[in-house]
Amino acid sequence: MEREVRVRFAPSPTGPLHIGGVRTALYNYLLARKLGGKMLLRIEDTDQNRFVPGAEDYIRQSLEWCGITLDESPWTETPGPHAPYRQSERKPMYLQYAQQLLDSGHAYYAFDTPEELDAMRARLTAAKVPNPQYNSITRAQMRNSLTLPEDEVKQLLDNNTPYVIRLKVPRKEEIRFNDLIRGWVVVHSSSVDDKVLMKSDGMPTYHLANIVDDHLMEITHVIRGEEWLPSAPLHVLLYRYFGWESTMPQFAHLPLLLKPDGTGKLSKRDGDRLGFPVFPLEWHGKDAETGEPTVSSGYRESGYLPEAFINFLAFLGWNPGTQQELFTMDELIETFTIERVSKSPARFDQNKVRWYNEQYLRAKPDSELAQYLLDALKTQGVDVPAAKAEQIAALVKERATFPADLAKEAQLFFHRPTSYDEQVISKKWNAQVAGALAEFAQQLPAAADTTADGIKALLTQVLERQGIKIGQVLQALRVAVTGAAAGPDLMAIMSILGAEETAQRLETAISNLAAHASA
């Protein structure tokens, strides 16, 4: 019988969730939903020394904001069938699996002190060994249950001498597995060290807990970052030694996310240096060296829409094989295949995520954009009817990248200009233009049609009588009404402002610029 697809996202609560982690969660989610499977979240908190308060809740909020829903997690209302979903709460069960490996001869006790381990590495470094490690060769010179007499090992254990349990990696063996993205991966066991499976504090390491939990939670696909690729051979060995090879999940190791210049892995420091977020939500933490409070920017607080953020992330390493770039979450689910994920690193492009935000923002209904505008104006003490806010939002949205830009672009409707673009005034403002605009201002309040088309028709009539071409006047008219040389459609601006307000602004400009007109 075909197994139900079950994927998992397994973050550690050691700080904010990097966008690379969000991408990993997203690809897991897309695959599960595409194949009608389940999406699990497991908190991997075996390293208690790195635990950061608030990090788990940050992960939960981030996934909720992104629209990545979970079928089983520590936070679901009813416990899932494989609860608990925090490894720290599963601690008692791991020892039996470590014991199983000890009993089968695939693991051993190691009693080496930190000083002895340092001395071993120093010896290997002095011998010019490129990658000093505890492995099938060096373990023969160390203090472990493979080199010590059985009675001495028993005595050390009885005396509660600190120890770790290490995996016994074979010396000469090829380890192979078929990665869904990279194809067949073959690694010689001589390059794999005897990783610690259980630490001296009784907590399992990532390697043991990860394999045991994935097996018990019936995970069918492990989609994770490229940084875990070197650990995959070790995990394959663990599945083999436990006798679980027939149900071992399929592996897929995602490409790295690179800095914008492509020179290395994207980090928080890159975001700080170049002025863009690398976290989905704002993170309040502490400086590692000084302990001083720090704030790292987030995409949500920076004005990015979750659907734009997700669409952008999906394309960092995957493509649909078509020219289509804009995808809803449902469309991503329908289109996504793991086979179209590239093994090549994906370069981060901040301009592209801004582009996505523009597309999604401008595609929103004008009524929704108006609400963004009304909320912002309310904080400024500006009260405006909803219908007018919708008109303004519709007009200025093509100049907006973020919701906050709507209010910035809308300021011209609520504040008369206090200065005028000098370059336009010096070139375009003269007595003839001022005279034509004065007549236009005089006739505006009595105009029967104050739509954009009606205002343009009235302006054309005035200019024809004055013998002036519209191109000679438009820039000066815009500056007189808004103070700026560029902006949204001028006729629409004047229609929204209304005939009276537009006329008053023109009269004020004519008065203020009288000296230019006579020059």
Side-chain angles (χ1 to χ4, degrees), residues 421-433:
D421 186 277
E422 286 290 341
Q423 192 170 4
V424 172
I425 295 304
S426 63
K427 291 181 178 179
K428 299 292 185 179
W429 194 271
N430 54 50
Q432 188 182 28
V433 168

Side-chain angles (χ1 to χ4, degrees), residues 114-254:
E115 292 76 18
E116 289 169 333
L117 291 172
D118 288 342
M120 178 266 286
R121 296 187 190 99
R123 286 196 305 273
L124 294 176
T125 300
K128 300 193 183 308
V129 174
N131 185 25
Q133 56 185 10
Y134 203 122
N135 59 19
S136 58
I137 297 175
T138 56
R139 66 183 175 224
Q141 286 83 47
M142 305 303 290
R143 294 177 65 243
N144 53 61
S145 57
L146 300 176
T147 61
L148 299 173
E150 187 175 339
D151 58 342
E152 186 175 344
V153 172
K154 184 178 183 307
Q155 185 176 1
L156 288 169
L157 294 174
D158 290 343
N159 292 338
N160 294 319
T161 303
Y163 67 85
V164 297
I165 298 175
R166 289 182 179 271
L167 183 68
K168 186 181 177 184
V169 177
R171 184 169 182 178
K172 295 181 179 180
E173 189 172 312
E174 276 193 347
I175 307 166
R176 57 177 60 228
F177 64 95
N178 191 12
D179 188 281
L180 292 174
I181 295 172
R182 298 159 194 279
W184 282 100
V185 177
V186 182
V187 176
H188 198 275
S189 62
S190 60
S191 65
V192 181
D193 60 332
D194 291 0
K195 282 282 191 290
V196 174
L197 303 177
M198 292 288 291
K199 294 176 283 189
S200 56
D201 61 1
M203 284 294 280
T205 62
Y206 168 85
H207 303 290
L208 178 65
N210 169 273
I211 298 307
V212 169
D213 286 343
D214 281 351
H215 173 73
L216 296 179
M217 294 181 180
E218 303 176 272
I219 300 303
T220 60
H221 297 75
V222 169
I223 305 173
R224 58 189 180 186
E226 184 181 284
E227 64 270 21
W228 292 109
L229 188 58
S231 300
L234 178 77
H235 298 165
V236 170
L237 284 179
L238 283 169
Y239 278 107
R240 182 184 305 169
Y241 294 160
F242 279 124
W244 300 337
E245 269 191 295
S246 62
T247 58
M248 183 174 75
Q250 293 182 277
F251 291 104
H253 290 88
L254 304 177

Side-chain angles (χ1 to χ4, degrees), residues 285-349:
K286 291 183 178 179
D287 185 273
E289 296 180 1
T290 65
E292 291 295 316
T294 60
V295 178
S296 299
S297 62
Y299 278 87
R300 181 181 66 181
E301 291 76 11
S302 297
Y304 287 90
L305 305 174
E307 55 267 40
F309 176 66
I310 284 297
N311 199 154
F312 168 71
L313 272 191
F315 273 72
L316 282 179
W318 170 85
N319 76 82
T322 66
Q323 296 301 308
Q324 183 179 346
E325 290 190 273
L326 298 175
F327 286 80
T328 64
M329 184 71 91
D330 286 342
E331 288 171 334
L332 285 172
I333 290 169
E334 183 180 347
T335 311
F336 183 81
T337 61
I338 202 73
E339 289 78 16
R340 293 209 64 85
V341 175
S342 171
K343 62 183 177 182
S344 301
R347 184 180 298 193
F348 185 86
D349 184 351

Side-chain angles (χ1 to χ4, degrees), residues 262-495:
T263 58
K265 187 177 178 181
L266 180 69
S267 69
K268 173 185 176 296
R269 190 176 293 107
D270 298 314
D272 292 342
R273 178 172 56 86
L274 298 172
F276 59 81
V278 296
F279 304 129
L281 312 182
E282 190 174 83
W283 170 255
H284 294 257
K286 291 183 178 179
D287 185 273
E289 296 180 1
T290 65
E292 291 295 316
T294 60
V295 178
S296 299
S297 62
Y299 278 87
R300 181 181 66 181
E301 291 76 11
S302 297
Y304 287 90
L305 305 174
E307 55 267 40
F309 176 66
I310 284 297
N311 199 154
F312 168 71
L313 272 191
F315 273 72
L316 282 179
W318 170 85
N319 76 82
T322 66
Q323 296 301 308
Q324 183 179 346
E325 290 190 273
L326 298 175
F327 286 80
T328 64
M329 184 71 91
D330 286 342
E331 288 171 334
L332 285 172
I333 290 169
E334 183 180 347
T335 311
F336 183 81
T337 61
I338 202 73
E339 289 78 16
R340 293 209 64 85
V341 175
S342 171
K343 62 183 177 182
S344 301
R347 184 180 298 193
F348 185 86
D349 184 351
Q350 180 62 13
N351 292 328
K352 194 66 175 181
V353 69
R354 287 172 62 91
W355 178 84
Y356 272 110
N357 214 58
E358 288 171 356
Q359 308 313 306
Y360 278 93
L361 183 68
R362 295 169 189 179
K364 283 186 175 294
D366 292 339
S367 57
E368 193 172 335
L369 297 178
Q371 194 55 56
Y372 285 133
L373 178 57
L374 287 167
D375 291 343
L377 292 175
K378 188 175 181 181
T379 65
Q380 299 170 15
V382 176
D383 188 22
V384 59
K388 185 175 181 179
E390 191 166 331
Q391 284 183 299
I392 295 172
L395 183 61
V396 303
K397 66 182 179 183
E398 294 304 318
R399 299 173 64 83
T401 298
F402 305 106
D405 294 338
L406 297 169
K408 292 177 187 174
E409 294 293 332
Q411 292 304 304
L412 68 92
F413 292 96
F414 310 107
H415 304 285
R416 293 179 179 179
T418 56
S419 61
Y420 304 93
D421 186 277
E422 286 290 341
Q423 192 170 4
V424 172
I425 295 304
S426 63
K427 291 181 178 179
K428 299 292 185 179
W429 194 271
N430 54 50
Q432 188 182 28
V433 168
L437 294 185
E439 183 182 342
F440 177 54
Q442 186 179 16
Q443 294 193 25
L444 255 181
D449 183 359
T450 56
T451 63
D453 288 342
I455 290 173
K456 186 174 183 179
L458 176 61
L459 176 64
T460 302
Q461 292 169 13
V462 170
L463 295 179
E464 284 177 352
R465 282 196 299 271
Q466 297 270 355
I468 303 175
K469 293 180 180 178
I470 196 167
Q472 295 175 258
V473 173
L474 275 182
Q475 269 200 302
L477 174 58
R478 178 182 292 279
V479 169
V481 173
T482 69
D489 182 81
L490 179 57
M491 302 305 153
I493 289 174
M494 292 190 288
S495 178

Side-chain angles (χ1 to χ4, degrees), residues 485-506:
D489 182 81
L490 179 57
M491 302 305 153
I493 289 174
M494 292 190 288
S495 178
I496 295 171
L497 283 172
E500 290 285 352
E501 174 66 18
T502 302
Q504 288 180 27
R505 291 188 180 202
L506 287 173

